[in-house]
Amino acid sequence: MEFSIPRMKKRIPTLLATMIGAAISSQSALADDLMSQCMLGVPAFNRPLVTGQTNQLPVTIHSDSAKGNYPDDAVFTGNVDVQQGNSRLQSDEMQLHQRQQEGQTTPVRTVDALGNVQYDDNQVILKGPKAWSNLNTKDTNVWSGNYQMVGRQGRGDADLMKQRDDNRYTILENGTFTSCLPGYNSWSVVGSEVIQDRQEEVAEIWNARFKLGAVPIFYSPYLQLPIGDRRRSGFLIPNAKYGSSKGFEFILPYYWNIAPQADATITPHYMSKRGMQLENEFRYLTQFGAGLMEFDYLPSDDQYDKDKSARGIAEDKSNDRWLFYWQHAGVYDQHWRFNANYTKVSDPYYFNDLDSKYYSSTDGYATQKFSLGYAESNWDATLSSRDFQVFGDTSNRNLYRAQPQLDLNYYQNDMGPFDGRIYAQAVKFTNVNDNYPEATRLHIEPTLDLPLSNGWASLDTEAKFLATHYQQDDVSYYNNTVDTARTNQLKESVNRTMPQFKVDGRLVFDRDMNWAEGYTQTLEPRVQYLYIPYRNQSDIYPYDSTLLQTDYTGLFRDRTYSGLDRIASANEVATGVTSRIYDQDLVERFNVSVGQIYSFTPSRTGVNQTSEEDDTGSLIWAGDTYWKVSDRWGVRGGLQYDTRLDNVSQGNAVVEYRRDADRVVQLSYRYSSPEYVASALEGSSLLNNPNYRRIYEKGISQVGATASWPIADAWSVVGAYYYDTRNSKPASQLVGLQYSSCCYAIRVGYERKINGWESNGTRFDSKYDNQISFNIELRGLSSGYGLGTDQMLRQGIIPYQRAF
């Protein structure tokens, strides 16, 4: 028997018994294999999806028989099936009642469903023996029911499920939730009362008990969990690990959604050897830009107190440890620019003893930078400050602060065929070490450029004039006490002027490859001539100049050193050629670049002695290559040869097989010759630091292997090993094992990494930290099904980087 009621202004209520709505948040980042297996046990909505407002859609009722006392009552029995839009309600018997209340113009309509009640729509399937609903208010009760999410994991049951306030609230009495598939109850959350607010997208749970199997292991009188895309306050996934430096660790982050433009993560971090650290991260977004602040505080570090004697720290020094970090970047009113990158810690050993995502123990200092800028269409100005917090004794360090520094740029690009630019700078340099000179530097650099180009060629001709004035202080003490062996001593007042001329030409040819249909090969020769006359700069201290790396791209720079204090003379031609191969989809499959610098006269600054024979001719060769052998195989490498050092100065090579995000094998090698490292660090305070002297003496030669691979349906392993062949010691070791199922994932890892240096007689040896970590993740409470291998590989001291 069938009844059709067109455009009935009622709604069969959607009975969503969802407890934890993280299960209905976006799951676009799922691992395909595991997701496919998990979805096999999850029901799908297999009816055509109906759009439109449910209240405006017709209601259709099917049953074996029907009887009624119109308009007060109607009873449908036998395979009762009620459908409206995407909603469907089935039961053995359904009773419809209509009663006129005194003083009310609209009658009250209710329905009782009895026997094998099942409700389903495109979000949930609900089953129970008995249900009641008020069709006027849409208030609904379902007794002893259970629910299953549609198209996603999530299920549970409750003694009583209620819909209230026009379906805004779902209230569960003695309700449960788990994301495990039917038949598996590895974990669940139980609450005496659960209220889900769809409008606010939050679930509130009273007397919450977390269970492993049937055993409760955690209790909270009240929990609040997000159930949608809106950010919500609540606890995040905990983490536990064990290390030789900190002992047993337990980390429990709490996310606080302060406002739409501000949030915070407060993380109690327990360390058995050190105490309880409170990590506080605050993020904000204002009209002046976005930023992040972090303040970590560890009162009375027990292990730090024990290490004072061995480290030569005064016993009365405070045992409290703290870190403050601030990063900000923003634009205001399209003209003003604000930037900050500031780090300060309580003591020099902070990063050796405690983990931080902002710095590591090998940096040697913390940077503190601020800048304020203003920009118009043809000019800009930036006022900045750069300072450092040095870890350790400053008497053997050489770091220059720039406080303040003003940079100005003026552009004029409508001078006929020419483009014009003027760059100017004023900066005050002070050193963290009182033994080194201070200086005020003024610089101006007008540039005239003639750019010419078409579809296959370009020619850029550029002329500059560089004028710099130095006013150097405390040079007498430095000349007579610190650097007495210097041939040309520093002067208090120095003026330096020089022109610069450069011509850079490029061509691009391409052809179809006959032996590979759809493939295209390019040939891109490049020639650059650079002329800078020699100026003796030995009376100027190198405040912010260091030797730059000369890879293939570096061959075509116009400077050998960074900064302005060392501008090497040049009368040279840099030549190079690049060839690329693109497939039919314009994906670059292969490239190779080879180039050299040919110098007609020695490149000089007046600081080092040069030889006409050794420092002319073909000086530097550099090459880079990349080969995407297939969608899964890739090779990348580079090599630089310096004829002045008569050796391969730098090299690197990477071979990687990548099937997907969880199936990766990579072999790598990197090399820097001792002579190159010595020349790059010449004059640097790093040579006085025993932590870096080892690199200076022996160079760099490291071979590494990284692998990540599932070894069974639910098991995966990850490992990384980097070995320093110069010092015959491992630099970093990492191994991890993860079990991942539809219910949960467990990850166990071991890491051994360098955490500083320790004295061994006349040598300084690497000091290692050993750490064991343990993580557990509950499926349905996070957005991903991935095995987490990429995260494990990136946490090492030498983080994994993709080759292609």
Side-chain angles (χ1 to χ4, degrees):
M1 184 173 295
E2 177 177 328
F3 289 80
S4 181
I5 309 175
R7 300 188 62 82
M8 184 177 183
K9 296 207 180 271
K10 296 187 242 186
R11 179 181 178 189
I12 301 298
T14 302
L15 303 177
L16 290 179
T18 316
M19 190 190 83
I20 298 178
I24 62 175
S25 62
S26 173
Q27 297 187 359
S28 59
L30 306 181
D32 293 339
D33 292 347
L34 183 58
M35 181 188 68
S36 300
Q37 296 176 25
C38 296
M39 289 301 103
L40 292 176
V42 174
F45 187 71
N46 52 19
R47 299 193 299 272
L49 193 65
V50 179
T51 58
Q53 294 189 7
T54 305
N55 283 345
Q56 304 298 320
L57 299 174
V59 176
T60 302
I61 303 176
H62 297 266
S63 67
D64 294 341
S65 63
K67 61 181 180 179
N69 179 22
Y70 184 82
D72 297 329
D73 302 285
V75 179
F76 301 88
T77 57
N79 299 315
V80 185
D81 189 342
V82 181
Q83 296 187 41
Q84 183 183 27
N86 297 314
S87 303
R88 184 178 187 180
L89 181 63
Q90 298 171 290
S91 68
D92 295 338
E93 179 180 325
M94 192 174 301
Q95 301 174 4
L96 273 68
H97 308 286
Q98 179 171 287
R99 297 291 184 268
Q100 186 71 45
Q101 300 292 328
E102 184 176 354
Q104 300 292 328
T105 58
T106 303
V108 176
R109 294 183 289 267
T110 61
V111 59
D112 292 298
L114 303 172
N116 297 314
V117 178
Q118 175 173 319
Y119 170 84
D120 67 86
D121 60 16
N122 58 324
Q123 296 188 60
V124 71
I125 296 173
L126 177 71
K127 296 180 181 180
K130 179 182 177 181
W132 168 89
S133 181
N134 184 318
L135 300 182
N136 298 65
T137 64
K138 300 180 178 63
D139 289 351
T140 304
N141 293 345
V142 178
W143 285 267
S144 303
N146 60 78
Y147 64 90
Q148 169 71 59
M149 309 293 277
V150 173
R152 57 181 62 87
Q153 289 180 241
R155 62 183 181 86
D157 54 52
D159 292 346
L160 175 61
M161 292 178 282
K162 299 184 287 188
Q163 298 286 110
R164 293 295 184 267
D165 196 6
D166 199 22
N167 284 343
R168 173 178 173 176
Y169 299 102
T170 295
I171 303 172
L172 307 177
E173 294 185 3
N174 295 324
T176 69
F177 172 85
T178 182
S179 63
C180 298
L181 298 180
Y184 299 91
N185 291 298
S186 300
W187 70 269
S188 62
V189 181
V190 180
S192 61
E193 185 176 48
V194 181
I195 300 179
Q196 175 191 348
D197 186 341
R198 291 179 180 79
Q199 182 174 314
E200 295 297 325
E201 296 186 356
V202 64
E204 297 176 299
I205 308 171
W206 278 265
N207 296 314
R209 288 97 67 198
F210 177 77
K211 293 184 175 183
L212 288 180
V215 180
I217 63 169
F218 174 78
Y219 170 82
S220 176
Y222 175 79
L223 283 180
Q224 189 180 81
L225 298 172
I227 61 172
D229 294 332
R230 297 175 63 176
R231 298 178 305 170
R232 284 291 167 188
S233 302
F235 286 101
L236 305 179
I237 297 172
N239 182 18
K241 51 188 174 181
Y242 181 85
S244 57
S245 173
K246 295 180 280 295
F248 173 75
E249 300 178 64
F250 183 75
I251 304 165
L252 182 61
Y254 180 82
Y255 175 76
W256 180 19
N257 181 38
I258 302 171
Q261 294 82 29
D263 61 17
T265 303
I266 302 169
T267 307
H269 182 173
Y270 171 75
M271 295 167 280
S272 62
K273 288 187 176 182
R274 298 187 178 275
M276 177 67 76
Q277 181 185 36
L278 194 63
E279 302 171 3
N280 307 278
E281 181 186 83
F282 172 69
R283 301 186 303 175
Y284 61 89
L285 177 63
T286 70
Q287 60 180 338
F288 299 102
L292 180 149
M293 289 184 178
E294 173 97 6
F295 179 71
D296 300 343
Y297 181 69
L298 172 61
S300 188
D301 186 339
D302 298 332
Q303 187 63 41
Y304 179 69
D305 186 53
K306 297 176 182 178
D307 294 337
K308 282 182 178 178
S309 176
R311 290 172 169 176
I313 303 173
E315 292 296 330
D316 59 350
K317 183 173 176 57
S318 173
N319 296 326
D320 295 349
R321 319 287 297 276
W322 53 266
L323 170 146
F324 177 73
Y325 173 78
W326 181 32
Q327 183 181 51
H328 178 91
V331 178
Y332 175 71
D333 195 28
Q334 299 182 347
H335 297 285
W336 293 95
R337 271 78 170 161
F338 307 94
N339 289 277
N341 190 337
Y342 182 91
T343 303
K344 190 173 180 64
V345 294
S346 57
D347 57 87
Y349 293 95
Y350 185 92
F351 294 116
N352 293 84
D353 299 339
L354 302 169
D355 294 332
S356 172
K357 60 183 105 174
Y358 308 113
Y359 280 88
S360 74
S361 61
T362 58
D363 290 330
Y365 56 86
T367 305
Q368 300 167 351
K369 295 181 180 180
F370 299 96
S371 69
L372 170 65
Y374 185 86
E376 289 286 352
S377 59
N378 63 335
W379 69 274
D380 63 74
T382 302
L383 181 65
S384 62
S385 169
R386 183 178 75 246
D387 198 359
F388 304 94
Q389 180 187 6
V390 179
F391 305 145
D393 186 6
T394 60
S395 63
N396 61 2
R397 303 304 299 272
N398 180 12
L399 289 171
Y400 272 96
R401 313 179 188 95
Q403 293 180 314
Q405 178 173 323
L406 177 64
D407 294 275
L408 300 169
N409 287 287
Y410 176 78
Y411 307 91
Q412 189 68 41
N413 296 329
D414 54 358
M415 303 167 56
F418 296 97
D419 294 336
R421 175 187 175 223
I422 298 176
Y423 169 67
Q425 183 191 83
V427 58
K428 172 67 175 179
F429 289 110
T430 60
N431 203 294
V432 299
N433 188 339
D434 294 335
N435 293 327
Y436 288 87
E438 299 180 354
T440 298
R441 184 177 72 193
L442 304 176
H443 178 80
I444 188 167
E445 186 177 314
T447 302
L448 190 64
D449 185 38
L450 177 61
L452 302 173
S453 64
N454 57 22
W456 53 273
S458 67
L459 182 66
D460 190 28
T461 304
E462 179 185 84
K464 292 183 179 182
F465 182 77
L466 296 86
T468 313
H469 170 74
Y470 290 86
Q471 190 63 43
Q472 302 180 113
D473 302 324
D474 301 328
V475 295
S476 296
Y477 177 82
Y478 179 80
N479 291 332
N480 299 326
T481 307
V482 180
D483 193 0
T484 57
R486 188 181 263 267
T487 304
N488 295 321
Q489 296 190 328
L490 302 182
K491 297 179 181 180
E492 289 188 353
S493 182
V494 180
N495 292 312
R496 182 193 64 193
T497 59
M498 62 179 68
Q500 176 181 307
F501 179 73
K502 181 176 72 172
V503 180
D504 188 1
R506 311 185 194 198
L507 296 172
V508 178
F509 305 101
D510 65 80
R511 63 163 187 161
D512 294 332
M513 302 182 67
N514 297 329
W515 54 271
E517 184 177 354
Y519 277 58
T520 302
Q521 182 184 14
T522 69
L523 189 66
E524 306 167 28
R526 182 177 181 182
V527 179
Q528 174 184 281
Y529 174 73
L530 175 66
Y531 175 77
I532 303 174
Y534 167 67
R535 298 291 186 268
N536 189 339
Q537 298 156 57
S538 60
D539 50 5
I540 301 171
Y541 193 82
Y543 299 99
D544 64 352
S545 290
T546 57
L547 185 67
L548 295 171
Q549 180 178 336
T550 309
D551 53 10
Y552 178 78
T553 303
L555 295 176
F556 299 93
R557 280 194 295 257
D558 56 6
R559 301 285 172 86
T560 307
Y561 296 87
S562 64
L564 297 170
D565 305 316
R566 294 290 180 264
I567 300 178
S569 63
N571 183 16
E572 63 188 33
V573 173
T575 58
V577 62
T578 298
S579 182
R580 310 177 196 271
I581 296 179
Y582 297 89
D583 64 15
Q584 58 270 27
D585 297 320
L586 297 181
V587 175
E588 187 174 3
R589 289 287 181 176
F590 175 80
N591 71 53
V592 61
S593 301
V594 179
Q596 67 154 340
I597 292 178
Y598 188 94
S599 182
F600 300 102
T601 58
S603 178
R604 299 181 292 164
T605 62
V607 177
N608 298 320
Q609 297 295 324
T610 60
S611 166
E612 189 78 24
E613 179 180 350
D614 294 339
D615 294 334
T616 58
S618 181
L619 299 182
I620 300 174
W621 286 83
D624 298 321
T625 187
Y626 164 72
W627 183 17
K628 190 174 183 180
V629 183
S630 67
D631 291 338
R632 297 181 177 180
W633 281 95
V635 180
R636 186 183 297 276
L639 195 69
Q640 293 101 54
Y641 181 82
D642 194 325
T643 61
R644 294 165 297 185
L645 302 176
D646 195 24
N647 63 32
V648 175
S649 57
Q650 286 190 300
N652 64 85
V654 178
V655 179
E656 180 172 312
Y657 174 83
R658 168 175 285 271
R659 181 174 171 181
D660 53 43
D662 298 310
R663 296 170 173 85
V664 179
V665 177
Q666 183 187 93
L667 301 177
S668 62
Y669 178 73
R670 61 175 184 158
Y671 171 82
S672 293
S673 71
E675 294 81 6
Y676 172 81
V677 175
S679 62
L681 296 181
E682 188 166 2
S684 170
S685 67
L686 296 180
L687 301 185
N688 300 323
N689 190 319
N691 294 356
Y692 293 91
R693 189 181 301 128
R694 297 162 58 253
I695 299 177
Y696 167 71
E697 293 173 347
K698 297 185 178 181
I700 300 172
S701 178
Q702 288 184 348
V703 60
T706 301
S708 164
W709 206 267
I711 55 178
D713 288 342
W715 292 89
S716 63
V717 65
V718 59
Y721 184 84
Y722 292 90
Y723 187 77
D724 188 339
T725 62
R726 292 287 191 186
N727 296 288
S728 302
K729 291 182 179 180
S732 177
Q733 299 161 280
L734 171 70
V735 63
L737 181 68
Q738 175 161 306
Y739 174 81
S740 187
S741 71
C742 300
C743 287
Y744 58 89
I746 296 177
R747 184 189 308 157
V748 179
Y750 168 78
E751 184 178 9
R752 183 174 185 261
K753 60 183 179 181
I754 295 176
N755 189 32
W757 287 264
E758 56 188 359
S759 176
N760 184 12
T762 59
R763 300 186 323 173
F764 280 86
D765 291 333
S766 302
K767 181 181 178 181
Y768 291 92
D769 181 26
N770 299 286
Q771 183 172 277
I772 299 174
S773 60
F774 175 82
N775 302 76
I776 183 168
E777 180 179 328
L778 305 178
R779 299 305 190 191
L781 297 182
S782 64
S783 60
Y785 279 63
L787 299 178
T789 53
D790 185 70
Q791 177 185 351
M792 295 182 70
L793 289 175
R794 293 183 187 277
Q795 74 183 16
I797 191 172
I798 305 177
Y800 161 76
Q801 294 181 336
R802 289 185 57 169
F804 64 95

